[in-house]
Amino acid sequence: MQKHILITGGAGFIGINTANYFLAKKEHVTLFDNLSRKGSEENLKWLKKTWGKGFGFVRGDVVTDREKLDTLVSDVDVVIHLAAQVAVTRSVENPHHDFLVNAQGTLNVLEAIRCSQNKPMMIYASTNKVYGNMDHTPVHLTESGYRYADYPDGVPAHAAMDFHSPYGCSKGAADQYVRDYARIYGLQTVVFRQSCIYGPHQFGVEDQGWVAWFVISGMLSRPITIYGDGHQVRDMLYVDDLARLYDMAIRNSEKVSGNVYNIGGGAKEAFSVLQTVKKLESIFKKQITHSFGTWRPGDQKVYISDISKITRDLGWKPKISFEKGLVRLVRWAQGERKILKRLVG
């Protein structure tokens, strides 16, 4: 049976790939986005070129356009809530705006669902930043970067949260609201605390979407700054694997409802910043000029998702390796060279 899926922040990187995935499965998709992020209009143009009028788009904001949001929510089966302020650095510069978008915006989505007659399922894209700097967790430096001493398989979803930075606070507050609305109001909600997601249509900038930013900079032969010592490690997840997970969660909504999961590539797909630079140098067949800056607020030395819970509950595992996914991202960037050059200035 065809489902109607509403994606907030639908013209963003994850949103546009998710929309493309569900449109290919013949689902009814509506995007809700204020188009404030660089590249979002280009993403929307690409989706229209690919699917014509096969999807809906409403320009709006989860904070200021509550009537639009209420109307849209009343006509869908699923809400994938991706709309967010996504950069730690910007949250430090403007914590009030960060709170409005991430915390208030998410509460508005939840209230729209709670007050609707149809009560659609909600998938919330949370973040590993809810765990803070994890200074209490011992790490050691290996040849392949920092690793946890006590979490060989990564951080489990029951690990203690420790919000660090306004971004961590706003996303963490929203994370808990989404979880609690399942307990208190009986809504079908699920929280995915996502690690490093990458892939095509990611117009990365220096303070967010670092893998894409490195790809764009390498392609354009521009220097990059590595904040910290470069041994920071993240588990990498290609965006198509994430969209597939969203699909599995929708088809098993009762099973995942009320749950929180850590989502990423897991321990097998964990790489350091410097390893990523080396991989890109191999792909581009040239050196990438880079320098080092001071550590940024809230930057974890290592974050790796323990994905065993979601594997146990849904049988989901990543299929696309970082090596293959990185090549796909580079090929996309090369095809969009003119647009990327214009957008990065």
Side-chain angles (χ1 to χ4, degrees), residues 141 144-146 210 226-233 271-277 292-293 295 299 301:
L141 184 60
S144 56
Y146 292 107
W210 67 273
I226 296 173
Y227 295 94
D229 58 19
H231 297 298
Q232 303 99 304
V233 167
F271 300 90
S272 74
V273 172
L274 288 173
Q275 283 179 313
T276 303
V277 171
F292 294 87
W295 290 81
D299 194 11
K301 284 187 175 180

Side-chain angles (χ1 to χ4, degrees), residues 103 218 310:
I310 194 67

Side-chain angles (χ1 to χ4, degrees), residues 223-260:
I224 60 173
T225 301
I226 296 173
Y227 295 94
D229 58 19
H231 297 298
Q232 303 99 304
V233 167
R234 299 291 184 270
D235 59 320
M236 313 293 190
L237 182 65
Y238 192 71
V239 68
D240 285 3
D241 278 327
L242 181 63
R244 181 169 54 85
L245 172 59
Y246 290 163
D247 185 23
M248 294 175 73
I250 291 168
R251 289 187 282 109
N252 295 274
S253 59
E254 292 186 4
K255 193 168 188 178
V256 299
S257 180
N259 278 291
V260 174

Side-chain angles (χ1 to χ4, degrees), residues 41-266:
E41 293 190 39
E42 297 297 335
N43 283 342
L44 194 57
K45 288 178 184 177
W46 172 81
L47 200 67
K48 287 180 178 178
K49 183 178 179 181
T50 304
W51 294 101
K53 297 181 179 179
F55 66 95
F57 172 73
V58 176
R59 185 164 186 170
D61 189 290
V62 293
V63 178
T64 59
D65 294 316
R66 292 191 61 179
E67 288 188 8
K68 285 184 181 180
L69 188 62
D70 291 346
T71 300
L72 288 170
V73 165
S74 68
D75 190 40
V76 300
D77 303 297
V78 181
V79 177
I80 301 177
H81 181 40
L82 306 176
Q85 191 297 115
V86 293
V88 172
T89 51
R90 293 180 186 177
S91 78
V92 174
E93 295 168 358
N94 192 341
H96 184 256
H97 177 260
D98 176 81
F99 173 84
L100 286 176
V101 177
N102 292 345
Q104 183 66 61
T106 300
L107 184 61
N108 289 348
V109 174
L110 285 167
E111 279 293 277
I113 294 172
R114 184 180 72 84
C115 296
S116 68
Q117 290 188 343
N118 48 315
K119 302 290 191 296
M121 176 195 184
M122 177 180 177
I123 297 174
Y124 176 61
S126 186
T127 171
N128 63 65
K129 296 299 184 184
V130 301
Y131 298 113
N133 278 0
M134 301 191 68
D135 291 334
H136 58 284
T137 305
V139 301
H140 57 272
L141 184 60
T142 71
E143 291 183 356
S144 56
Y146 292 107
R147 288 293 190 276
Y148 296 120
D150 300 329
Y151 292 136
D153 297 322
V155 178
H158 62 260
M161 292 188 291
D162 181 20
F163 306 158
H164 191 103
S165 79
Y167 174 75
C169 291
S170 64
K171 291 292 287 186
D175 177 310
Q176 291 300 283
Y177 264 103
V178 173
R179 184 183 189 187
D180 201 51
Y181 265 55
R183 291 186 294 209
I184 299 300
Y185 299 111
L187 301 185
Q188 288 192 332
T189 71
V190 60
V191 174
F192 289 152
R193 293 174 183 160
Q194 298 170 185
S195 187
C196 186
I197 315 299
Y198 71 100
H201 307 286
Q202 187 174 28
F203 294 85
V205 293
E206 189 175 43
D207 57 359
Q208 199 277 327
W210 67 273
V211 175
W213 174 247
F214 282 14
V215 167
I216 295 166
S217 299
M219 179 184 68
L220 298 177
S221 297
R222 300 190 177 187
I224 60 173
T225 301
I226 296 173
Y227 295 94
D229 58 19
H231 297 298
Q232 303 99 304
V233 167
R234 299 291 184 270
D235 59 320
M236 313 293 190
L237 182 65
Y238 192 71
V239 68
D240 285 3
D241 278 327
L242 181 63
R244 181 169 54 85
L245 172 59
Y246 290 163
D247 185 23
M248 294 175 73
I250 291 168
R251 289 187 282 109
N252 295 274
S253 59
E254 292 186 4
K255 193 168 188 178
V256 299
S257 180
N259 278 291
V260 174
Y261 298 94
N262 285 348
I263 304 299

